[in-house]
Amino acid sequence: MSPQPAHPARRSLLGAGLALPLLPALTGCGQPARPTPPPSATTGPTGRPAPPTGRPGIPVTRSVAARGELTAVQRSPVPLVFVALSWRGPERGPRIRFDGRPDGTSGWLPVRAGCPCGGDTAPDGVRHALVPAGGARSYQVGHPPGVDLLTAVGVDTVHGPVPAPTAPSTAPPPPRRAAPDAFRRPAGPSGGDLDALGVITRADWGADETKAVATRVFAPARAVTVHHTVTANRDPDPAATIRAIFELHAVRNGWGDIGYHFLVDGEGRVYEGRASGDDGPPGHNSANEVVTAFHTGGFNTGNIGVALLGDLDKAPPTPAARRALTRLAAALTDRHALDPLRPLAYTASSGRVRRLPSAVNGHGLWTPTACPGARLDIPALRRDLARLPAR
């Protein structure tokens, strides 16, 4: 390349490899970015991946931060599945090209930031994107005037070493305490409670809990907010994409965990997001409170974040994903007695107030963003929830 000028049913979804199509624009999450981090648990002192830990049977996630001038050609010792970028400036800012891919060298591809998820801090204009690299061994980032490139990190969630299974313990597992009877809901026509959804656990999609260092804070649920991740549609390995989002959120953004409570893939599978402990259903504690996550900056307390994998500006959710979203939203609104047709007045911890048409909203009604995409009809989702039989 020449220089560019300035709880319950569990399923493992791990593929042996990942062949990602090149897409011009993928996900971003807006939280103050830090300078390129020093060597860490995933990047050793030479810039090569350090020996990391991980889940038995699941490839270890490896990341390699760019070194030197960020617009120089960056060469990776491992095949890259994604490149994570952050910048200040327009939404359509940097561009990127890849070399050393099994299908050859790519041309320059535009990069667009997506879902500006984040913590309860004032937005500072930092944008993030997670761009599929398709196994590339090198890449280069370019940007026009007015774009301030901050970080570039290569991420491999597929080709890393696979920790050997450990010998099974003979001790009985600790019981996972159910929510109090007052909050337990039986399965029913509207989709059942969370236990009926077969939520895929963090262990099964491969969360590296050594990187999940966020302090857990809980609060009563007040709202459900829907996002899209602006990643590949028809994703062949959703678990690998979720591991990449986890790496970006927990490590590179410095949040200590993934920003969403739940994620839904194109096949209609629901994944556990932010860790909440083992004393309640996913996302909850034994008092039926929800763990505070980082998905709607400034309005996270009691706000349950559900992210659909894919780019819903390019295509509507698949029928399976839409059904799963409805069932999940039904379980959450039932559990917390949230009315999908009743207006909501939400007061944030900062004192800011948002008046919303419902307890179920898209991200864009909370903060200025196009998330969750133009092809997802949130009013129709509310109507579907209201029509479901009461339980």
Side-chain angles (χ1 to χ4, degrees):
M1 296 179 180
S2 58
Q4 164 68 12
H7 150 87
R10 317 299 191 198
R11 260 189 288 179
S12 178
L13 300 176
L14 304 169
L18 178 62
L20 281 173
L22 279 173
L23 295 179
L26 291 118
T27 194
C29 295
Q31 177 75 350
R34 301 169 294 173
T36 301
S40 66
T42 52
T43 304
T46 65
R48 293 178 176 272
T53 59
R55 292 283 186 183
I58 295 175
V60 166
T61 295
R62 306 178 289 183
S63 62
V64 184
R67 301 180 65 81
E69 176 60 42
L70 293 182
T71 55
V73 174
Q74 301 291 332
R75 305 192 187 281
S76 171
V78 300
L80 299 177
V81 180
F82 298 95
V83 172
L85 301 175
S86 68
W87 71 93
R88 285 189 178 92
E91 179 183 358
R92 298 180 182 273
R95 55 181 183 163
I96 190 169
R97 61 180 176 178
F98 297 99
D99 202 356
R101 290 163 35 114
D103 61 354
T105 302
S106 78
W108 285 103
L109 301 166
V111 176
R112 173 177 61 89
C115 169
C117 52
D120 287 343
T121 56
D124 68 350
V126 175
R127 304 182 187 276
H128 296 260
L130 191 62
V131 186
R137 288 282 187 164
S138 67
Y139 66 92
Q140 184 180 14
V141 182
H143 61 91
V147 172
D148 180 14
L149 188 63
L150 299 175
T151 62
V153 180
V155 181
D156 172 28
T157 55
V158 169
H159 309 98
V162 178
T166 56
S169 172
T170 57
R176 184 181 180 105
R177 298 197 302 274
D181 288 343
F183 298 111
R184 191 179 295 123
R185 297 289 189 272
S190 64
D193 197 8
L194 294 174
D195 288 355
L197 298 179
V199 177
I200 296 168
T201 66
R202 292 165 62 89
D204 282 345
W205 61 254
D208 184 345
E209 300 298 356
T210 66
K211 301 174 183 177
V213 298
T215 300
R216 295 173 191 166
V217 178
F218 295 85
R222 292 185 275 169
V224 175
T225 298
V226 183
H227 306 258
H228 67 156
T229 59
V230 200
T231 49
N233 295 319
R234 299 179 298 278
D235 192 335
D237 194 343
T241 299
I242 293 172
R243 293 195 296 275
I245 296 170
F246 173 83
E247 182 77 9
L248 175 61
H249 288 190
V251 179
R252 296 299 158 181
N253 290 4
W255 301 346
D257 206 342
I258 195 166
Y260 308 111
H261 292 86
F262 299 94
L263 300 97
V264 179
D265 73 15
E267 298 298 318
R269 293 169 289 220
V270 178
Y271 300 77
E272 179 182 17
R274 196 158 186 103
S276 59
D278 293 325
D279 60 346
H284 297 72
N285 63 11
S286 61
N288 202 44
E289 297 172 319
V290 294
V291 66
T292 300
F294 281 9
H295 60 92
T296 303
F299 304 97
N300 282 309
T301 302
N303 192 347
I304 304 172
V306 178
L308 275 67
L309 294 179
D311 187 342
L312 302 186
D313 277 324
K314 294 178 178 288
T318 65
R322 181 60 168 77
R323 287 192 298 269
L325 173 63
T326 303
R327 293 187 66 204
L328 176 58
L332 293 169
T333 52
D334 281 355
R335 173 173 287 274
H336 298 289
L338 303 176
D339 188 338
L341 297 183
R342 183 177 180 179
L344 171 70
Y346 178 103
T347 302
S349 56
S350 65
R352 288 187 292 172
V353 177
R354 281 287 185 273
R355 299 189 183 280
L356 302 163
S358 168
V360 178
N361 300 285
H363 187 182
L365 286 185
W366 294 92
T367 60
T369 173
C371 179
R375 307 295 296 276
L376 177 61
D377 190 339
I378 295 295
L381 173 63
R382 296 186 193 119
R383 292 192 296 271
D384 288 347
L385 294 172
R387 283 194 293 262
L388 290 173
R391 291 180 289 124

